[in-house]
Amino acid sequence: MIHFILLFSRQGKLRLQKWYTTLPDKEKKKIIREIVQIILSRNQKTSSFVDWKDLKLVYKRYASLYFCCAIEDQDNELLTLEVVHRYVELLDRYFGNVCELDIIFNFEKAYFILDEFIIGGEVQETSKRSAVKAIEDSDMLQETVEEYMNKPAF
Amino acid sequence: MPAVSKGDGMRGLAVFISDIRNCKSKEAEIKRINKELANIRSKFKGDKALDGYSKKKYVCKLLFIFLLGHDIDFGHMEAVNLLSSNRYTEKQIGYLFISVLVNSNSELIRLINNAIKNDLASRNPTFMGLALHCIANVGSREMAEAFAGEIPKILVAGDTMDSVKQSAALCLLRLYRTSPDLVPMGDWTSRVVHLLNDQHLGVVTAATSLITTLAQKNPEEFKTSVSLAVSRLSRIVTSASTDLQDYTYYFVPAPWLSVKLLRLLQCYPPPEDPAVRGRLTECLETILNKAQEPPKSKKVQHSNAKNAVLFEAISLIIHHDSEPNLLVRACNQLGQFLQHRETNLRYLALESMCTLASSEFSHEAVKTHIETVINALKTERDVSVRQRAVDLLYAMCDRSNAQQIVAEMLNYLETADYSIREEIVLKVAILAEKYAVDYTWYVDTILNLIRIAGDYVSEEVWYRVIQIVINRDDVQGYAAKTVFEALQAPACHENLVKVGGYILGEFGNLIAGDPRSSPLIQFNLLHSKFHLCSVPTRALLLSTYIKFVNLFPEIKTTIQDVLRSDSQLKNADVELQQRAVEYLRLSTIASTDILATVLEEMPPFPERESSILAKLKKKKGPGTVTDLEEIKKERSSDMNGSAEPASVNASAVSTPSPSADLLGLGAAPLANSAPPPSSSGSLLVDVFSDSPSAVAPLAPGSDDNFASPDLASSEVVSEEPADTVHDADELFHKFVCKNNGVLFENQLLQIGLKSEFRQNLGRMFIFYGNKTSTQFLNFTPTVICSDDLQSSLNLQTKPVDPTVDGGAQVQQVVNIECVSDFMEAPILNIQFRYGGTFQNLSVKLPITLNKFFQPTEMSSQDFFQRWKQLSNPKQEVQNIFKAKHPMDAEITKAKIIGFGSALLEEVDPNPANFVGAGIIHTKTTQIGCLLRLEPNLQAQMYRLTLRTSKEAVSQRLCELLSEQF
């Protein structure tokens, strides 16, 4: 199973963290610091896999963003790369040419999309159509933008 | 105002995020956040009730602030309120906040659980989905208590929407992982298995993960999943790339589901049903075939997905370890990947091959890639990949290529990354010892290790080289010469000084004949390093000096001068000072005889298993040293761990005992020293003081016993050539669980044994003690193997001196190699002349199959998985028998460990039962063995069950062990 997923920029700024195991906040912060540092210090052209404690980090860079998953020893590394890719595709399909800013300003959507795809560290739905449809359906359930625009900003 | 906001667009949130992004400094950011927190707090506390939208917006802002790394200590209540909103987006944000921020605040959990309960009961699939996601995200015990009973019902209910089923399956999996005791097994389990047949591939994908985890813990209950998984896999593998529509990923049909199904199958042994087995083999062959087809797309996603399935299939093939054809094909496929231009594939191929190397079917095939792997070590730019190459070289090493592999690893060590140096050092040390045919090579290798990576050579490594040199007299001269030469280097590592000091102190005399390494030169060379060394090393060198006083009386005064100097006698370090004082005094007052006794050469170390392996295992974490044979006894590391020169108490010297352990390296001080041959009255028994239980009944009033020869000839030893085997079965059985003790004794002769075994090799020292005062003449012990036994057991004995003086003891060494498993024991026949009569006696030599046992530690889960795998009736042998000894749990445990298997605690659900695991090593094969002993105190009976992969082995081990209790 996937233990956690981190998205961070080339400057080391964390953009999204998703934990599938329960850890204290302090421990999470420590892990994030450590892993961001490990991945950013790796050269290009190296493999996408790094041993880390008793887990394995699988990571890939898309433009300015690094996507990193921590998986167990017996998990399939190559397919984890494709988990990342499928997630990027889902984001792309929803946002249309997704970029880092989309994820910053719509972090909650990035979480919702991830939840449709992975639950408890396991892939739930691999069909792009089904996963995106779930998100779009939920957007349909939303109140209209206008309704909100009439409300005060703060 | 950025235009990137999408969906419902909370404008205030977007503004806030832009503000934060525009902050020029950390201080400005904190200021802006504090302002916002104050604002939100006042809104939440304000008199005016907030509408849902505002609540949602503020909760979302809090979440954003939290994700920036700041602590949030309020807002939870508002988030919980959002859960009961009827508006989807409000509910959604509420759940998100709870998922990310909730801690086990019990007050809050009750409210949250309430909201979840309502949503689960709402029959609105989107709300149910949100609730299930939340349970899976939080996964706390409280949630498991509240919902573990409910979710299985949702999962198998006929009218549940597919998407809800998917969420329910994985939600249940999360709860099962965190609180397995709270998830009740029941009717639903069989219905879950049938989800493998579901027509919705998303449902199958989610369910397979759940079933895999459940099957790992309850294999019996989920056994039917095997045939269902095989047929599902078969349908996917043979489908055209368009059949599965949206589940085809870059022309690869359902890769996620395929991989999950292959994982599920790895919970079980190869299917027993030949039809299912055949179908699975076909699937695996198809997957291997597809790897050879030209790619359907140039995209990396295509090849990744395709190869992900391929690697998982190879894992299954290795797991089954039963189809030589598939194993060799897998190996060839991985061989191709070793040279692939994709770094990821090279990495994975190296990793996968490591496990392939430990299969008897593919070990040789893996070895053919040695050059490629060595090349990877030299040329790969990624340390992760080089690390895998080192692992693989270690895994593929055997006697035939050990020299090459060790040389390459040493080579690599010169430039290796610091992070992996210690591990390489350990690996080199282990391989050099394990496969040393020529121990000069071993000594050279370890000295090279110290030279290249001295800082990474741990104590275990240099203790070990000393133990080996002390125990092998054929290498001592060479070792002395080599360390002497190595010490010539102007700058040498302190570890080399330690090894050099110790070895020259013991064996410097062997090279002292050469004028280039005369005693004085040796001493000066060592002493030139003295001032550069740390206190423990200096302490060791002082001991070397006093040993020199004994070895080389001609330099005694030089050494005394050094000991007498102020820097020693008045050293601020109390240990050094005490050593200097006592050694000086000893050298001044003791006679040559006493000196010679006190400073006698160290006796051989009791042969122990290498503690280096334990260290490697510890370093890599359990489970990562894949090679089963590498998993060694913990207790051996305890023993070796105490061999620490620094802890020497120099005052031990003041009692001139013949076996004073001067340098403290021998942890078990006296048991191993040879008895003084002159004292005719001493019984061999004393030698084995570590095994009192066996000895006690044999040596009653031993003072009267050994004396009179006349008595001897009349009673026990017949004058006729007697060819009957002394069937001292009871004695023989005593040796099944221990290696040292008295094998045979009568009025004339006592036969003692010390033996050691490692993997499929062993060495036995047989001590013949003449208890009389008369010489034995024509003393000829012979070890006889029957024809059957000869093919399975290779024994080499060295002849012994044909005369044994009265009261003396001679020793004979038997080298043992276990070629394949065997039943009988060899016979030791002894013939000699004693006072004109011819004596002839035979005893069974206790070389039994279990001596080639290596314990294997494993988790309860692994144990039961393997236990199931060995469920073929021929693999199991069971014996029910009456207890012959008091049923004491501690003694039973000691016997199981003595038998050679690992004693697995907390594996058997019944704590009164004993469970063990290990591997029998023979030259041709390794046989995994599991055992279970169930005592019945009331009936004073035992039931013993052995499961191994070979019927004869189960049989023999069961026989041997049954006699023990």
Side-chain angles (χ1 to χ4, degrees):
Chain A
M1 74 177 262
I2 300 174
H3 280 229
F4 52 84
I5 299 177
L6 303 177
L7 267 66
F8 50 89
S9 68
R10 288 172 72 182
Q11 292 73 37
K13 281 236 182 226
L14 189 67
R15 295 304 180 201
L16 186 136
Q17 46 173 315
K18 182 78 192 180
W19 301 84
Y20 297 106
T21 51
T22 314
L23 291 171
D25 285 341
K26 231 177 156 175
E27 179 73 22
K28 288 182 186 171
K29 282 186 185 167
K30 208 178 125 223
I31 291 174
I32 291 168
R33 263 201 311 276
E34 190 181 331
I35 286 177
V36 168
Q37 199 250 329
I38 291 176
I39 306 271
L40 290 181
S41 63
R42 297 211 1 125
N43 299 332
Q44 287 187 334
K45 299 219 169 174
T46 53
S47 69
S48 309
F49 318 124
V50 185
D51 289 336
W52 179 77
K53 303 200 173 157
D54 49 350
L55 298 178
K56 197 169 272 180
L57 306 176
V58 176
Y59 70 96
K60 186 163 181 179
R61 203 182 96 190
Y62 286 86
S64 60
L65 262 192
Y66 281 91
F67 290 68
C68 173
C69 299
I71 57 171
E72 291 173 5
D73 196 45
Q74 69 273 29
D75 286 327
N76 194 307
E77 294 93 339
L78 284 177
L79 207 57
T80 307
L81 279 178
E82 296 318 299
V83 165
V84 167
H85 186 76
R86 178 44 54 105
Y87 180 48
V88 173
E89 285 183 344
L90 293 174
L91 291 171
D92 206 51
R93 175 112 164 220
Y94 180 77
F95 289 109
N97 273 327
V98 67
C99 67
E100 194 181 338
L101 278 182
D102 291 319
I103 294 171
I104 295 171
F105 280 94
N106 300 283
F107 66 95
E108 78 283 11
K109 299 285 181 211
Y111 275 103
F112 298 148
I113 293 170
L114 190 56
D115 273 350
E116 287 303 325
F117 181 36
I118 295 170
I119 299 184
E122 302 283 350
V123 171
Q124 165 178 231
E125 179 50 83
T126 66
S127 154
K128 197 158 48 170
R129 204 178 299 153
S130 306
V132 172
K133 191 165 171 294
I135 305 286
E136 283 167 354
D137 281 355
S138 62
D139 275 353
M140 293 290 285
L141 287 171
Q142 284 166 175
E143 303 78 352
T144 59
V145 179
E146 289 87 319
E147 191 185 334
Y148 281 129
M149 295 306 269
N150 296 330
K151 314 261 175 173
F154 283 98
Chain B
M1 182 68 225
V4 284
S5 169
K6 192 166 155 102
D8 56 328
M10 285 175 277
R11 190 159 162 271
L13 175 66
V15 171
F16 175 58
I17 295 175
S18 327
D19 282 1
I20 295 289
R21 285 177 53 75
N22 290 335
C23 287
K24 295 274 187 298
S25 65
K26 196 78 197 163
E27 290 71 32
E29 183 184 307
I30 290 174
K31 214 174 142 197
R32 178 70 186 86
I33 285 169
N34 285 336
K35 184 182 154 205
E36 191 63 41
L37 286 174
N39 171 45
I40 298 172
R41 205 176 264 128
S42 76
K43 296 281 183 205
F44 283 170
K45 278 191 184 150
D47 307 329
K48 211 173 62 174
L50 287 177
D51 59 34
Y53 168 78
S54 307
K55 247 188 243 167
K56 176 178 87 163
K57 184 183 67 188
Y58 294 130
V59 165
C60 218
K61 281 183 181 176
L62 288 179
L63 192 54
F64 182 77
I65 294 171
F66 176 79
L67 291 170
L68 283 176
H70 303 269
D71 294 332
I72 295 295
D73 52 8
F74 69 103
H76 299 76
M77 210 50 192
E78 283 73 14
V80 174
N81 282 341
L82 285 177
L83 297 185
S84 43
S85 162
N86 280 327
R87 291 204 165 128
Y88 180 75
T89 52
E90 288 170 13
K91 203 186 263 295
Q92 199 180 22
I93 294 290
Y95 273 124
L96 180 59
F97 185 91
I98 302 293
S99 303
V100 175
L101 261 129
V102 92
N103 45 27
S104 286
N105 180 333
S106 60
E107 219 23 57
L108 213 55
I109 284 283
R110 203 170 315 133
L111 292 170
I112 296 167
N113 280 356
N114 223 5
I116 291 176
K117 204 164 279 167
N118 290 336
D119 280 336
L120 284 182
S122 71
R123 310 195 59 76
N124 173 335
T126 4
F127 287 6
M128 289 173 89
L130 282 179
L132 289 168
H133 282 157
C134 181
I135 301 172
N137 277 322
V138 179
S140 68
R141 230 182 135 72
E142 292 90 339
M143 287 201 172
E145 276 163 7
F147 303 110
E150 180 66 18
I151 297 171
K153 290 181 201 148
I154 298 177
L155 177 58
V156 296
D159 57 350
T160 306
M161 297 257 300
D162 288 334
S163 66
V164 177
K165 269 190 201 165
Q166 288 170 266
S167 304
L170 294 177
C171 181
L172 187 58
L173 170 56
R174 172 72 202 265
L175 293 185
Y176 185 74
R177 277 187 180 137
T178 47
S179 326
D181 52 314
L182 294 178
V183 178
M185 295 290 139
D187 296 346
W188 62 274
T189 48
S190 58
R191 299 176 65 183
V192 161
V193 173
H194 283 276
L195 290 178
L196 288 173
N197 268 339
D198 202 283
Q199 51 187 352
H200 190 286
L201 278 186
V203 173
V204 187
T205 307
T208 309
S209 293
L210 173 66
I211 294 166
T212 303
T213 306
L214 292 171
Q216 279 164 358
K217 297 246 167 71
N218 322 278
E220 204 50 43
E221 243 169 294
F222 289 87
K223 219 172 169 179
T224 46
S225 61
V226 172
S227 59
L228 293 178
V230 169
S231 60
R232 190 94 222 189
L233 181 67
S234 164
R235 270 178 282 158
I236 297 172
V237 169
T238 52
S239 66
S241 58
T242 51
D243 287 357
L244 303 173
Q245 294 161 349
D246 215 21
Y247 290 90
T248 296
Y249 181 82
Y250 291 88
F251 304 99
V252 181
W256 277 279
L257 180 53
S258 306
V259 165
K260 285 183 180 194
L261 291 168
L262 289 162
R263 270 289 290 284
L264 169 59
L265 292 170
Q266 287 172 59
C267 301
Y268 290 94
E272 280 159 27
D273 179 346
V276 178
R277 192 176 177 144
R279 200 157 176 204
L280 178 57
T281 306
E282 256 170 49
C283 285
L284 295 171
E285 276 168 351
T286 312
I287 295 171
L288 285 167
N289 291 342
K290 280 188 180 172
Q292 299 301 324
E293 290 169 9
K296 294 196 175 71
S297 154
K298 285 214 170 82
K299 287 236 158 86
V300 66
Q301 283 76 27
H302 171 70
S303 73
N304 275 354
K306 185 168 146 185
N307 291 326
V309 177
L310 176 63
F311 274 106
E312 207 60 51
I314 291 176
S315 293
L316 180 62
I317 292 170
I318 296 171
H319 169 79
H320 284 170
D321 197 11
S322 61
E323 301 268 355
N325 170 37
L326 287 176
L327 281 160
V328 170
R329 279 193 70 184
C331 185
N332 293 341
Q333 182 60 54
L334 294 176
Q336 285 180 20
F337 284 151
L338 284 182
Q339 318 222 33
H340 202 279
R341 58 185 172 79
E342 276 266 342
T343 314
N344 286 344
L345 288 179
R346 297 198 301 274
Y347 172 97
L348 294 171
L350 288 166
E351 183 181 65
S352 216
M353 265 202 182
C354 265
T355 41
L356 216 44
S358 51
S359 163
E360 52 175 313
F361 300 114
S362 47
H363 182 79
E364 289 304 316
V366 170
K367 273 167 65 186
T368 57
H369 299 288
I370 184 167
E371 295 302 333
T372 319
V373 182
I374 287 171
N375 196 38
L377 200 58
K378 291 176 177 160
T379 55
E380 284 291 350
R381 283 195 286 173
D382 180 355
V383 57
S384 306
V385 184
R386 292 196 297 269
Q387 169 89 57
R388 291 288 156 277
V390 171
D391 290 348
L392 178 53
L393 284 178
Y394 181 74
M396 66 161 69
C397 193
D398 61 17
R399 216 166 280 284
S400 71
N401 55 22
Q403 300 237 357
Q404 185 189 10
I405 286 179
V406 165
E408 290 298 344
M409 282 192 175
L410 276 174
N411 234 341
Y412 173 56
L413 191 54
E414 308 232 19
T415 54
D417 313 72
Y418 295 109
S419 54
I420 60 173
R421 279 195 183 188
E422 187 181 358
E423 198 187 312
I424 298 176
V425 166
L426 292 175
K427 286 185 164 159
V428 169
I430 289 166
L431 294 179
E433 181 186 338
K434 194 163 156 188
Y435 299 115
V437 186
D438 171 3
Y439 276 83
T440 60
W441 172 70
Y442 170 76
V443 169
D444 285 343
T445 304
I446 301 294
L447 291 181
N448 260 331
L449 269 185
I450 297 176
R451 182 180 57 77
I452 296 167
D455 286 343
Y456 298 89
V457 172
S458 57
E459 289 178 338
E460 286 87 349
V461 174
W462 74 261
Y463 289 173
R464 192 71 191 154
V465 67
I466 287 174
Q467 287 172 9
I468 286 176
V469 169
I470 301 260
N471 285 12
R472 305 195 61 97
D473 42 17
D474 51 337
V475 79
Q476 289 159 355
Y478 180 81
K481 182 164 163 284
T482 318
V483 291
F484 177 79
E485 279 162 11
L487 283 167
Q488 306 283 342
C492 49
H493 196 274
E494 192 166 331
N495 279 334
L496 179 64
V497 179
K498 290 177 187 166
V499 175
Y502 199 107
I503 288 179
L504 291 179
E506 293 293 324
F507 309 113
N509 55 329
L510 299 178
I511 56 168
D514 188 329
R516 286 166 300 177
S517 51
S518 71
L520 189 61
I521 295 178
Q522 286 186 38
F523 173 74
N524 285 338
L525 179 62
L526 281 176
H527 198 54
S528 68
K529 317 281 183 195
F530 187 89
H531 63 286
L532 298 170
C533 293
S534 64
V535 169
T537 309
R538 289 186 192 193
L540 188 152
L541 285 177
L542 288 179
S543 297
T544 302
Y545 298 167
I546 190 70
K547 287 236 159 186
F548 276 175
V549 168
N550 175 46
L551 288 182
F552 313 126
E554 63 268 38
I555 58 167
K556 181 171 169 181
T557 51
T558 318
I559 290 172
Q560 284 176 330
D561 286 346
V562 168
L563 292 175
R564 201 177 286 125
S565 70
D566 280 357
S567 60
Q568 310 299 349
L569 275 190
K570 296 184 179 165
N571 196 295
D573 185 275
V574 68
E575 176 69 35
L576 293 181
Q577 195 186 85
Q578 187 176 5
R579 284 191 190 216
V581 172
E582 293 188 2
Y583 290 161
L584 180 60
R585 196 77 193 123
L586 179 68
S587 72
T588 324
I589 58 165
S591 71
T592 334
D593 276 355
I594 291 179
L595 267 186
T597 322
V598 174
L599 302 170
E600 198 182 20
E601 187 182 305
M602 287 295 288
F605 286 88
E607 199 57 45
R608 319 155 160 155
E609 282 178 273
S610 167
S611 60
I612 307 177
L613 270 174
K615 169 126 180 161
L616 180 68
K617 194 183 153 201
K618 203 167 121 205
K619 206 173 146 46
K620 296 219 80 186
T624 41
V625 182
T626 46
D627 199 346
L628 277 177
E629 69 178 80
E630 250 84 86
I631 299 167
K632 295 265 179 171
K633 303 173 190 173
E634 295 283 67
R635 61 201 162 101
S636 69
S637 71
D638 297 344
M639 289 169 68
N640 286 353
S642 58
E644 199 181 298
S647 70
V648 166
N649 184 353
S651 56
V653 180
S654 45
T655 47
S657 143
S659 42
D661 192 356
L662 266 189
L663 299 188
L665 250 166
L670 306 183
N672 50 326
S673 68
S678 52
S679 59
S680 60
S682 84
L683 275 175
L684 248 176
V685 165
D686 301 332
V687 182
F688 305 108
S689 51
D690 55 337
S691 49
S693 63
V695 164
L698 283 168
S702 47
D703 281 346
D704 322 335
N705 235 351
F706 73 91
S708 89
D710 346 68
L711 214 154
S713 55
S714 61
E715 275 193 23
V716 174
V717 182
S718 75
E719 294 191 344
E720 297 299 308
D723 223 352
T724 50
V725 174
H726 276 259
D727 207 26
D729 252 0
E730 203 179 324
L731 281 181
F732 175 81
H733 286 304
K734 283 211 162 104
F735 279 91
V736 169
C737 292
K738 66 194 186 81
N739 287 332
N740 304 335
V742 174
L743 176 67
F744 171 84
E745 187 168 25
N746 63 19
Q747 275 87 341
L748 300 181
L749 178 69
Q750 187 190 47
I751 306 175
L753 293 184
K754 276 174 85 72
S755 43
E756 63 203 34
F757 295 87
R758 185 169 318 139
Q759 292 170 7
N760 70 320
L761 301 178
R763 194 183 312 144
M764 182 176 270
F765 296 89
I766 310 178
F767 300 91
Y768 304 97
N770 181 346
K771 291 167 64 176
T772 73
S773 48
T774 316
Q775 261 189 350
F776 293 163
L777 295 171
N778 300 340
F779 186 81
T780 28
T782 330
V783 178
I784 306 158
C785 289
S786 67
D787 291 348
D788 271 358
L789 194 55
Q790 255 171 15
S791 57
S792 342
L793 202 59
N794 208 343
L795 300 181
Q796 288 171 342
T797 45
K798 293 190 183 138
V800 298
D801 199 329
T803 39
V804 185
D805 288 335
Q809 185 194 71
V810 293
Q811 171 191 330
Q812 185 177 32
V813 184
V814 185
N815 286 315
I816 307 156
E817 183 186 36
C818 175
V819 180
S820 61
D821 60 280
F822 59 96
M823 303 293 276
E824 330 155 54
I827 305 287
L828 174 65
N829 174 267
I830 301 146
Q831 302 180 345
F832 58 95
R833 250 174 207 292
Y834 163 70
T837 56
F838 177 70
Q839 308 288 335
N840 183 358
L841 56 100
S842 297
V843 286
K844 274 196 206 168
L845 207 51
I847 299 173
T848 47
L849 184 55
N850 67 297
K851 299 293 177 195
F852 307 96
F853 231 141
Q854 298 258 306
T856 312
E857 292 293 343
M858 55 175 77
S859 67
S860 156
Q861 185 190 339
D862 290 343
F863 181 86
F864 286 110
Q865 192 178 331
R866 283 177 212 192
W867 185 264
K868 297 279 181 230
Q869 285 169 8
L870 296 169
S871 54
N872 188 318
K874 284 194 172 171
Q875 296 170 330
E876 178 182 295
V877 173
Q878 201 170 67
N879 188 11
I880 298 175
F881 53 93
K882 250 201 141 37
K884 291 191 271 302
H885 304 280
M887 297 174 81
D888 180 306
E890 288 312 308
I891 295 176
T892 307
K893 282 182 186 169
K895 281 184 176 164
I896 291 175
I897 292 170
F899 193 63
S901 106
L903 181 72
L904 305 178
E905 307 271 11
E906 287 170 23
V907 164
D908 200 290
N910 178 352
N913 293 346
F914 304 93
V915 163
I919 293 169
I920 295 278
H921 287 256
T922 72
K923 190 183 182 190
T924 45
T925 166
Q926 299 181 2
I927 303 141
C929 307
L930 303 177
L931 67 90
R932 182 181 197 199
L933 180 70
E934 298 157 282
N936 179 340
L937 283 173
Q938 254 181 340
Q940 289 287 304
M941 302 278 282
Y942 285 102
R943 180 166 75 178
L944 174 66
T945 315
L946 258 293
R947 284 193 180 185
T948 78
S949 43
K950 202 165 172 192
E951 188 183 1
V953 173
S954 301
Q955 190 64 49
R956 180 61 179 155
L957 291 179
C958 189
E959 280 168 24
L960 286 169
L961 193 56
S962 296
E963 292 299 328
Q964 298 302 313
F965 302 105

